[in-house]
Amino acid sequence: MSTVLVTGGSRGIGRAIVEEFGRVGHAVAFTYVQNRESAEAQVASLMENGTRAVAYQADVRDFQRAQEVVKQVQELLGPVEVLVNNAGIRRDRALLNMDPAVWQEVIETNLTGTFNYSRSIIPDLIRRGGVILNIASVSGMMGIAGQTNYSASKAGIIGFTKALSREVARLGVRVNAIVPGAIETDMTISMEESARRKLYAQIPSGRPGCAQQVARLALYLASQDATYITGQVFVIDGGLT
Ligand code: NDP
């Protein structure tokens, strides 16, 4: 089984992806920024279940650090075959009230973070073959008021996915995007109650999704069953878009 690197694997969708890949026997590495103790407890629990695991406190905005993390993961767990660019934040406000710093923070975390890890791993993936999965959002497809920064970053990730897939398909690397709708994690729980209710009311399935459903899709897209799938965008949103 191969090694998987997930950015932002300490909570929510990233954590579910780490657990799901670990469950089927992959070695897993993940990054986080905030809580070292909790990340270490997560690694200990994975290892108790027989998964080789390691976590790195590493801000995805830092390119130098991305290069270090990729190198260290490969030394410790062996060649990375799957990279999941998952780390993401939202800082919602109307454009009228959006400072440049808030714009930058979201673009640099969501979009530049995706560049940083893809750029750091791509020479190795090209040499050995592999998979990149980028976590975008329905916000990047339909646009959501109050999320110009977030929508732009996620639309950027979709364009990045399509362009990179064309560059590396013949070199044995597949690149796909997953586009979740409303998934119950800290990110949705932190929304204002009325905004969250309004969003959920628009979902044809009538309910939010769960992180494990996204993780299962990631697992499929990284698997041997999906070797003819690249440059695609997979929406998992209960019919929202
Ligand atoms: P959470 O807020 O629950 O978790 C975010 C994760 O990203 C955490 O592990 C966090 O680490 C990490 N992270 C945040 N900033 C950075 C950074 N600068 N460097 C490294 N890691 C960072 O989010 P979700 O699980 O809900 O979202 C995961 C991805 O899915 C995001 O890209 C999000 O945009 C996308 N998405 C989510 C949807 C949803 O409804 N939940 C819908 C559509 C897309 P730490 O614990 O240290 O803070």
Side-chain angles (χ1 to χ4, degrees), residues 133-162:
L133 294 174
N134 296 323
I135 309 298
S137 164
V138 292
S139 184
M141 294 184 77
M142 60 197 273
I144 293 182
Q147 295 194 338
T148 50
N149 49 2
Y150 185 76
S151 295
S153 72
K154 294 299 187 177
I157 288 173
I158 292 171
F160 176 89
T161 301
K162 291 182 177 182

Side-chain angles (χ1 to χ4, degrees), residues 8-14 31-35 58-61 86-89 109 135-138 150 154 180-183 185-188:
S10 49
R11 289 184 289 118
I13 293 171
T31 66
Y32 66 98
V33 266
Q34 291 188 68
N35 192 332
D59 190 322
V60 284
R61 292 175 291 181
N86 164 79
I89 54 166
T109 304
I135 309 298
S137 164
V138 292
Y150 185 76
K154 294 299 187 177
I183 306 296
T185 66
D186 292 346
M187 190 177 271
T188 38

Side-chain angles (χ1 to χ4, degrees), residues 56-154:
Y56 296 90
Q57 196 162 24
D59 190 322
V60 284
R61 292 175 291 181
D62 183 343
F63 180 65
Q64 213 57 40
R65 184 80 179 114
Q67 296 212 298
E68 284 167 18
V69 166
V70 165
K71 187 164 174 279
Q72 286 172 21
V73 174
Q74 317 232 53
E75 281 167 6
L76 198 71
L77 298 178
V80 172
E81 282 176 21
V82 182
L83 166 68
V84 185
N85 286 306
N86 164 79
I89 54 166
R90 43 170 207 91
R91 299 283 183 267
D92 300 353
R93 61 210 64 180
L95 187 68
L96 196 60
N97 301 322
M98 192 178 290
D99 295 334
V102 170
W103 169 266
Q104 290 289 353
E105 189 186 1
V106 170
I107 298 292
E108 281 175 15
T109 304
N110 299 0
L111 185 55
T112 308
T114 296
F115 163 82
N116 286 342
Y117 277 78
S118 302
R119 178 64 188 86
S120 299
I121 197 91
I122 203 75
D124 294 316
L125 290 190
I126 286 173
R127 220 168 293 130
R128 290 186 310 267
V131 176
I132 296 178
L133 294 174
N134 296 323
I135 309 298
S137 164
V138 292
S139 184
M141 294 184 77
M142 60 197 273
I144 293 182
Q147 295 194 338
T148 50
N149 49 2
Y150 185 76
S151 295
S153 72
K154 294 299 187 177

